[in-house]
Structures are given as structure tokens and as C-alpha cells.
Amino acid sequence: MNEELAKIHGELISARRPEDIFGQLSSGNVESQLERIKEIYIRLTRTIFPDHYRGNTEEFDMASKALEILNVFREKAVRRVNGEASDAEFIIKKSQREYHIDLAPIAEGDLSIIFGGYYSDSGNNKDVIVKIIKDPSDADLMRNEAKIIRILQTEPGNQSKHLPILLDQFRTTDRKIGLILDYFDGYDLYSVREKYKDGIDQKDMVWMLNRSLSLLGRVHINGTVHGNVDPSHFMVRPRDHNMRMIDWSYGIVNSSMTGDGFKVFNKDFSPPEVKERKMPIPASDLYSVGKCMIYVLGGDIKTNIMPNSVDKELQRFIQFFVRESPIQRAQDAWEMRSQLIKLIERLWGPRKFREFRM
Ligand SMILES: Nc1ncnc2c1ncn2[C@@H]1O[C@H](COP(=O)(O)OP(=O)(O)O)[C@@H](O)[C@H]1O
Ligand SMILES: [Mg+2]
């Protein structure tokens, strides 16, 4: 197998935006950007031109696929730079700005279809996602998500980068609600497990856990519970070890005062109190976070058994999150975070940045 071809093919397959291949694109300085797109295109096609691989079916197919993806992204990149619309996108006009959204969805959630797009902010293109609800009877959940994100983002702080930004809300012509949120260029934990079939290294897991605890500490202090933490809602970004918790549709605010309860039972990731219709507490989210960590480590989420490669002390630490009884379980995200940091330093010495690749 031609290694260079395999490498470029891999990069193209995992790219989700034209920027991933052609670098930052904006509507300023059009000429030099078109020049850069052209250079990159020529450089890549030198390797992936299918004709080089006549005689080797596997390589030929790989090259053809790579070229097909590259052509789609090049067209998008050129359009973005020129600020043009196309048949492959729709436009959402709001008072502040105009969003260009690709017609082909990038993901499907439990409640909605997710589309990717961008808007131009004084010459710079900013990426967004649009969630359009599938079943109008779920409209309350989507409205709830908008409400919770607004509450969480009212006081910008250190944790804001771990939370979605709600840019706009709209209705389609058939009266379905949609939300426009900023795009997060990370991967949800299902995608991480797709790449790491046997689970990730414990040292890559700990930064994910650390970030999520720091975020949840802040969210819980404000009286909010996420209510449905699972691998599709836990996103991580390898390059700077950022994480983001998304999909606040099931969020609960000040449950003891409002009587607001759990909105969904997630078979593998919800704590038992959800089924028992008890009051949501911060520990409920910690249970789900613990399950997510067992999952990403390649453990068994039914039995909570983790691979032997995971340090026994770290295993005990995670087991404390997934205790069935809510009162015997980890309660306080910030407290658990400081314990985690102490544990990591005791096990492996001072913390240092460890590269994680997707
Ligand atoms: N802001 C975002 N940036 C990038 N990808 C996202 C973003 N929000 C959602 N996604 C992708 O879409 C999937 C479904 O999103 P989610 O908000 O859970 O939708 P639903 O409410 O329909 O369940 C996520 O698992 C993730 O892969
Ligand atoms: Mg979801």
C-alpha cells in the first residue's frame, strides 16, 4: 500500500469542513486564498490521481474516493472564499446575519437532523451547526435546550468554552423549530470508539474526565443538571484537549424549587434514579460521566469492568461514579476533579500534555 496515498485518503475521509483541508477561509483577500486552494489541490492530486494506480484495485479505489472528496471540498472552499451561494445549500436570513447551510446533513441526533454551515462575520467565516427537529411533538425539548443554554451562557466564565453558544432560533416553513449553534471541531465519544476499537489509553481518558468535571462543577453550582450525559453528548477536541458537553434538551433547572424532573431514560447511561422518577441531582450526571469513561476506555458498561491496563486505583476512582445508590456515589464534580488531579500526579508525576490523535 502506498503510504502517502493512505495518509491523504485518511485525512480526506475524516475532514468535515473545507477548512480542514485548505486552511482558514474568509471572504477577505480572495486572490491569495484562491491561489492557496489551487496549490494545495495540485499538491494533493499529485498523490491521489487514480491513474497512477491502474493495476492495483485497492489503491485505485482509494485514490478515486479521495479525489471525489477533494473535489467536493474544493468546490465548497472556492464558494466560501467568493461568498457565493449554491444549489447545495440553503440560506437562513436572520436580522443580524445570513447563514449558509449545506443541504447534506452532517449528523443525526435523537431529536433532530444536524446540518453544517457558516456565516460571515466582518469578512471571517464562522462555522455553525443547525439542528432541525424531526418530530414536532419534541418541540418542548428543543425549546428547553435553548432555555438552558441561555441560562448557562448568561455569565461568561472559564467554563463557557465547554458549552455551546446559541446564535439564533428559527422556524421552517412547515413550522418545525431549529436552533443555530456554533460549530465545535471535535469528535463525540462514539466517533472516538469507532477509531479506537479497543478503547483509548487511560492517560488520554483522564484529560477528558478532568475537563468534564470542571464544566459540570460550574453547571451544578448554578442549579442545573444535564440529565442525559452519554457518548453522543460528550465531545472532545484532540488538538488542545478541549471538551464540550452538548445537547442540553433534557436539562433540568433548580429541580427542588421548580419540580422539574428527568426527561429521558437512557438505557446504558442513565442512573437508576431516572427510572425510579426521583429528583435529579448533580450525582446523576456524575454517574453518566463515569459510564462514558468506562465506555471510552473500552470497558463493559453493563458490568463496569475496565481493561486490565487501567491502573487499579484509577478504576476504583471511576467505580465511585457509577455506584447504583445515588447517596453512596460521587456527589461533587469539583471535589472529584481535585481528587483526580492528585491521583494522576501520584500515579504518573507532574501532568504534561500528551498528544491524542483522531
Ligand atoms: N456544535 C456542534 N458541533 C459539531 N458537531 C455537533 C454539534 N452539536 C451536535 N453535533 C453532532 O451531532 C450529534 C447530535 O447532536 P445532538 O445535539 O445530540 O442532537 P439531538 O438533540 O437531535 O440528539 C452529536 O452527537 C455530534 O456528533
Ligand atoms: Mg442528542
Side-chain angles (χ1 to χ4, degrees):
M1 174 58 65
N2 182 314
E3 260 177 47
E4 190 60 19
L5 169 64
K7 183 168 157 271
I8 296 175
H9 174 263
E11 281 166 8
L12 285 166
I13 288 247
S14 61
R16 282 159 303 169
R17 307 169 305 150
E19 280 87 348
D20 297 337
I21 297 158
F22 297 105
Q24 198 52 47
L25 305 167
S26 64
S27 52
N29 217 340
V30 175
E31 290 311 316
S32 72
Q33 292 191 78
L34 290 175
E35 192 53 38
R36 173 160 45 98
I37 293 171
K38 197 168 142 193
E39 277 167 22
I40 295 175
Y41 183 81
I42 292 174
R43 180 163 53 74
L44 294 177
T45 43
R46 249 179 235 138
T47 306
I48 64 174
F49 197 61
D51 270 1
H52 300 331
Y53 306 99
R54 295 248 173 238
N56 180 329
T57 326
E58 198 190 345
E59 287 182 344
F60 180 81
D61 290 348
M62 201 179 232
S64 308
K65 183 75 205 160
L67 185 60
E68 188 187 315
I69 300 173
L70 180 64
N71 283 336
V72 171
F73 279 124
R74 179 182 59 166
E75 203 229 301
K76 276 192 192 173
V78 170
R79 260 197 284 119
R80 280 198 182 194
V81 169
N82 288 329
E84 294 163 4
S86 94
D87 294 349
E89 62 181 25
F90 58 98
I91 308 270
I92 302 173
K93 282 201 174 85
K94 294 294 291 185
S95 55
Q96 308 266 331
R97 48 182 90 101
E98 204 174 88
Y99 299 95
H100 293 244
I101 310 299
D102 286 334
L103 281 173
I106 55 169
E108 181 172 350
D110 297 319
L111 306 177
S112 56
I113 308 280
I114 287 93
F115 299 88
Y118 71 98
Y119 67 92
S120 172
D121 177 15
S122 28
N124 285 318
N125 289 333
K126 299 265 171 74
D127 289 302
V128 299
I129 63 121
V130 171
K131 292 179 72 167
I132 298 179
I133 201 150
K134 290 185 272 192
D135 178 350
S137 69
D138 286 328
D140 283 349
L141 288 172
M142 192 166 266
R143 269 188 227 107
N144 189 55
E145 170 161 40
K147 178 185 92 177
I148 304 263
I149 293 176
R150 275 199 205 96
I151 294 174
L152 294 176
Q153 290 284 16
T154 38
E155 294 166 56
N158 267 341
Q159 310 305 335
S160 305
K161 60 177 183 293
H162 303 307
L163 291 164
I165 299 170
L166 180 62
L167 297 162
D168 264 308
Q169 213 171 320
F170 63 95
R171 266 179 194 283
T172 60
T173 44
D174 52 351
R175 305 203 58 73
K176 285 186 180 145
I177 344 185
L179 301 183
I180 307 179
L181 302 158
D182 69 320
Y183 176 80
F184 183 70
D185 54 342
Y187 302 83
D188 61 50
L189 295 186
Y190 283 124
S191 317
V192 173
R193 269 301 297 276
E194 234 166 74
K195 165 101 187 178
Y196 291 87
K197 300 267 188 266
D198 301 322
I200 63 171
D201 192 283
Q202 53 180 346
K203 289 184 177 167
D204 296 319
M205 180 277 289
V206 290
W207 64 257
M208 301 177 185
L209 178 56
N210 177 12
R211 296 285 189 280
S212 66
L213 292 175
S214 135
L215 166 71
L216 285 175
R218 141 89 200 286
V219 167
H220 291 159
I221 285 273
N222 273 339
T224 304
V225 171
H226 183 283
N228 191 15
V229 175
D230 84 352
S232 72
H233 301 149
F234 196 121
M235 295 190 75
V236 295
R237 184 165 65 195
R239 104 174 111 79
D240 57 357
H241 288 189
N242 197 355
M243 77 78 60
R244 195 183 267 201
M245 203 158 273
I246 61 158
D247 197 357
W248 293 82
S249 313
Y250 315 90
I252 302 129
V253 198
N254 285 327
S255 162
S256 57
M257 267 151 38
T258 57
D260 202 7
F262 288 112
K263 297 175 177 59
V264 70
F265 175 69
N266 185 318
K267 185 168 70 61
D268 295 315
F269 295 92
S270 284
E273 60 264 30
V274 176
K275 222 173 190 172
E276 295 158 9
R277 303 193 163 274
K278 289 195 184 138
M279 216 171 77
I281 52 172
S284 312
D285 281 346
L286 297 186
Y287 178 97
S288 307
V289 164
K291 286 279 179 184
C292 286
M293 294 305 100
I294 294 172
Y295 171 76
V296 82
L297 284 167
D300 182 338
I301 48 173
K302 296 255 176 329
T303 60
N304 299 330
I305 292 172
M306 287 167 253
N308 279 327
S309 55
V310 180
D311 185 278
K312 290 287 169 287
E313 254 189 282
L314 188 55
Q315 291 203 23
R316 267 200 299 283
F317 183 79
I318 296 171
Q319 295 289 0
F320 185 40
F321 284 68
V322 292
R323 293 214 182 132
E324 295 292 296
S325 155
I327 49 166
Q328 285 171 17
R329 193 187 300 151
Q331 298 289 319
D332 180 327
W334 270 334
E335 166 62 22
M336 295 317 291
R337 175 170 182 261
S338 69
Q339 285 190 25
L340 174 67
I341 291 172
K342 284 192 198 120
L343 175 60
I344 297 171
E345 292 184 341
R346 198 167 67 242
L347 292 177
W348 306 315
R351 290 182 296 151
K352 41 182 187 288
F353 189 88
R354 201 182 120 90
E355 195 179 4
F356 177 68
R357 279 175 182 274
M358 273 294 292

